[in-house]
Amino acid sequence: MPFRFEHHDPETYRRKARLISVAMAAQLIVFGLVLSQLLTTTFGSSLWLNGLGVLLGLIVTSLTFAVLRERPWMTEMRYVWQLKHHLSRVSGYLSTLRREAAQGNDVALDLMTFYHQGMVQLAELNGRTMDDDAELIAERQKIRALRQERGLAERVEGFDPHDLAAFKRS
């Protein structure tokens, strides 16, 4: 399934990410404590039962999160998780993609462009800049120049995971 870039407000994303992180941590603490208390009250006090209560709290929190992640108010979170997942997949092929892009492979150029656009967007959403990494800046400029030479658009719209099949993992 192809992934398409979307625009999301960085401030909204960061606010929701903080809120969801705090809510999930609080939920884990509450469920862990309640389940540990139930287990130790029922079966007697034991370190193992306390640990099992915390583990069960983690499972309940994970299940709750899995159910809630499809809610409309989780749109930004879902998008960032998908973006990170695809960037991670592409990063496993970077050395091969760099070599192929330098040789003028259009698909490799598209994938490298996706990687750099995604990294920039991820940094923006997280409130960081990528201006301090001279290597990445130089690589972005090199890819931009290669794309211009080949008459390709400066940006890509997204990423098709099937495009990676033509390359070997590095």
Side-chain angles (χ1 to χ4, degrees):
M1 178 177 194
F3 173 83
R4 299 284 169 229
F5 284 113
E6 299 173 4
H7 172 74
H8 292 281
D9 179 51
E11 197 55 44
T12 302
Y13 165 72
R14 287 192 296 273
R15 187 178 71 259
K16 283 185 178 182
R18 282 189 301 269
L19 179 65
I20 290 168
S21 295
V22 168
M24 288 300 169
Q27 182 179 349
L28 173 60
I29 291 168
V30 169
F31 279 135
L33 287 172
V34 167
L35 292 170
S36 291
Q37 189 66 37
L38 282 173
L39 287 171
T40 55
T41 300
T42 305
F43 300 108
S45 185
S46 164
L47 180 63
W48 293 106
L49 290 175
N50 281 320
L52 179 60
V54 172
L55 178 63
L56 291 173
L58 179 62
I59 291 169
V60 171
T61 300
S62 297
L63 291 173
T64 303
F65 192 62
V67 169
L68 294 178
R69 77 176 186 198
E70 296 303 320
R71 301 283 188 218
W73 50 271
M74 292 284 282
T75 302
E76 293 88 357
M77 309 300 343
R78 258 192 327 274
Y79 175 77
V80 170
W81 291 326
Q82 290 170 351
L83 178 60
K84 286 179 180 180
H85 170 74
H86 291 306
L87 289 173
S88 176
R89 287 190 65 193
V90 171
S91 72
Y93 292 82
L94 280 179
S95 65
T96 303
L97 292 173
R98 285 179 177 125
R99 185 176 56 252
E100 290 294 322
Q103 294 173 2
N105 183 321
D106 289 351
V107 176
L109 283 170
D110 285 348
L111 291 169
M112 290 298 296
T113 302
F114 165 79
Y115 179 77
H116 285 285
Q117 278 179 228
M119 293 296 286
V120 167
Q121 185 179 35
L122 192 58
E124 287 172 358
L125 286 168
N126 287 316
R128 294 180 287 118
T129 63
M130 299 208 34
D131 296 339
D132 57 350
D133 193 339
E135 258 182 61
L136 279 177
I137 292 171
E139 185 174 67
R140 264 198 323 258
Q141 290 171 343
K142 180 180 175 184
I143 289 169
R144 186 177 293 135
L146 287 170
R147 290 182 70 79
Q148 285 175 347
E149 285 174 16
R150 301 190 61 75
L152 300 171
E154 186 176 320
R155 300 178 63 79
V156 294
E157 297 298 315
F159 163 72
D160 187 346
H162 298 294
D163 290 343
L164 286 174
F167 304 98
K168 289 185 177 182
R169 261 185 106 76
S170 39

